[in-house]
């Protein structure tokens, strides 16, 4: 009896499911609990569902965008459950970004993954052909490219984990600053100006009277005989190879006179330059 009760308890635990939405434990993996669904996820390559978004061309921080879970073909089966988040496109983080703000609250509710509105999940087990919600992008820029991830449950044993939308880029990081077209200043023509004639006032120079100068009397030097060029060209007396004392005395006398005449001529020439040239 006790063994039968244990087996029954295990069976009840194994078949338990979450008809009112995904639990918080599913925030990271976004996969239904195996104990509740008694199955493993199907390959996403064969999923009859797709994730569409109005943010496909990019998003701006704080902007609002729609996400839609829908069937690929009209004859594809409806689904009962779902769990949607937005994460970085490269999969480097499991943090849910932004918030789901507007949706049919009769079909869905928020789930506090990372933030109070970081995810949206089903509220009941009703079959639906599609589900649409509004999502607000994070206010902070620099999040990079993002994408929607949605797990869709068709029935207890058939579900698809983390179906992906196309990645969408942060437009605030790629928008170039506005280009300012160069402006060419129009030439300006200065108005001609006519300068008024100015008449210089006549100036009368005051007569200046030169102070009388009294030249100091100069005493003319005694007339001296200025040597002529001929004097300097007078050939000296012929000196014999063996001059006698008389010849030597005459030569010395002539030489001394020649030097004396030269010094006199030099002094008179200096005076002449001083008088004529003001030196």
């Amino acid at each position: 009896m006790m063994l039968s009760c244990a087996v029954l308890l295990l069976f009840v635990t194994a078949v338990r499911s979450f008809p009112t939405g995904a639990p918080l434990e599913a925030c990271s993996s976004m996969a239904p609990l195996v104990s509740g669904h008694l199955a493993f996820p199907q390959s996403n390559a064969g999923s009859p569902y797709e994730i569409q978004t109005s943010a496909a061309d990019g998003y701006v921080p704080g902007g609002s965008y729609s996400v839609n879970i829908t069937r690929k073909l009209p004859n594809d089966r409806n689904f009962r459950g779902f769990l949607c988040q937005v994460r970085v496109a490269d999969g480097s983080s499991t943090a849910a970004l932004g918030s789901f703000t507007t949706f049919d609250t009769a079909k869905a509710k928020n789930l506090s993954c990372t933030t109070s509105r970081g995810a949206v999940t089903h509220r009941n087990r009703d079959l639906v052909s599609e589900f649409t919600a509004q999502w607000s992008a994070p206010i902070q820029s620099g999040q990079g490219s993002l994408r929607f991830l949605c797990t869709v449950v068709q029935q207890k044993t058939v579900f698809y984990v983390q179906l992906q939308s196309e990645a969408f880029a942060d437009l605030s990081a790629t928008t170039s600053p506005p280009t300012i077209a160069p402006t060419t200043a129009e030439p300006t023509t200065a108005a001609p100006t006519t300068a008024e004639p100015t008449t210089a006032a006549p100036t009368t120079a005051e007569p200046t009277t030169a102070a009388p100068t009294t030249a100091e009397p100069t005493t003319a030097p005694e007339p001296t005989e200025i040597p002529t060029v001929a004097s300097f060209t007078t050939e000296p007396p012929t000196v014999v190879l063996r001059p006698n004392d008389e010849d030597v005395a005459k030569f010395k006398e002539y030489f001394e006179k020649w030097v004396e005449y030269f010094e006199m001529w030099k002094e008179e020439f200096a005076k002449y330059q001083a008088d004529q040239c003001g030196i």
Side-chain angles (χ1 to χ4, degrees):
M1 180 67 178
M2 292 182 62
L3 180 59
S4 300
C5 290
V7 173
L8 179 60
L9 179 60
L10 178 61
F11 177 77
V12 171
T13 303
V15 298
R16 71 187 179 90
S17 58
F18 300 93
T20 58
L24 288 174
E25 297 93 313
C27 282
S28 179
S29 67
M30 297 186 69
L33 300 180
V34 175
S35 61
H37 285 262
L38 298 175
F40 292 95
Q42 271 63 44
S43 171
N44 288 350
S47 169
Y49 311 108
E50 62 182 355
I51 314 301
Q52 301 172 343
T53 175
S54 63
D57 294 331
Y59 74 98
V60 294
S64 180
Y65 305 90
S66 65
V67 58
N68 185 44
I69 307 173
T70 184
R71 299 174 299 177
K72 291 182 179 179
L73 299 174
N75 294 332
D76 287 333
R77 297 187 63 176
N78 293 338
F79 55 93
R80 294 182 183 276
F82 53 86
L83 173 63
C84 287
Q85 296 179 17
V86 173
R87 296 181 180 178
V88 291
D90 61 7
S92 60
S93 173
T94 60
L97 301 173
S99 57
F100 290 88
T101 56
T102 306
F103 46 81
D104 186 350
T105 56
K107 298 179 180 180
K109 64 180 180 179
N110 285 117
L111 186 65
S112 299
C113 296
T114 307
T115 62
S116 60
R117 294 184 175 185
V120 62
T121 185
H122 60 280
R123 181 180 287 276
N124 51 54
R125 298 179 68 253
D126 294 343
L127 286 169
V128 294
S129 61
E130 65 177 354
F131 172 75
T132 301
Q134 287 295 123
W135 171 80
S136 293
I139 297 177
Q140 299 85 359
S141 60
Q143 301 291 343
S145 294
L146 309 178
R147 71 169 79 245
F148 283 94
L149 300 179
C150 294
T151 293
V152 182
V153 179
Q154 186 182 101
Q155 58 184 8
K156 185 177 295 187
T157 57
V158 180
F159 51 88
Y160 304 87
V161 177
Q162 293 189 12
L163 296 177
Q164 299 182 1
S165 71
E166 294 294 330
F168 42 93
D170 182 354
L171 297 179
S172 67
T174 58
T175 302
S176 301
T179 302
I180 301 175
T183 58
T184 304
E186 295 182 0
T188 57
T189 304
T193 57
T194 304
E196 296 182 1
T198 56
T199 304
T203 56
T204 304
E206 295 182 0
T208 56
T209 303
T213 56
T214 304
E216 295 183 359
T218 56
T219 303
E222 295 180 0
T224 57
E225 184 179 357
I226 299 176
T228 62
V229 177
S231 300
F232 295 103
T233 58
T234 302
E235 293 182 2
T238 303
V239 180
V240 296
L241 294 177
R242 292 180 180 180
N244 54 31
D245 294 339
E246 183 178 357
D247 293 333
V248 172
K250 287 183 178 180
F251 179 82
K252 182 177 180 181
E253 179 181 358
Y254 290 151
F255 182 78
E256 288 176 352
K257 285 187 177 182
W258 184 88
V259 172
E260 180 181 356
Y261 290 153
F262 179 80
E263 291 297 328
M264 292 174 59
W265 179 87
K266 183 179 178 181
E267 182 179 351
E268 291 299 322
F269 184 77
K271 290 181 179 181
Y272 175 81
Q273 282 186 316
D275 294 339
Q276 297 297 323
C277 303
I279 301 175

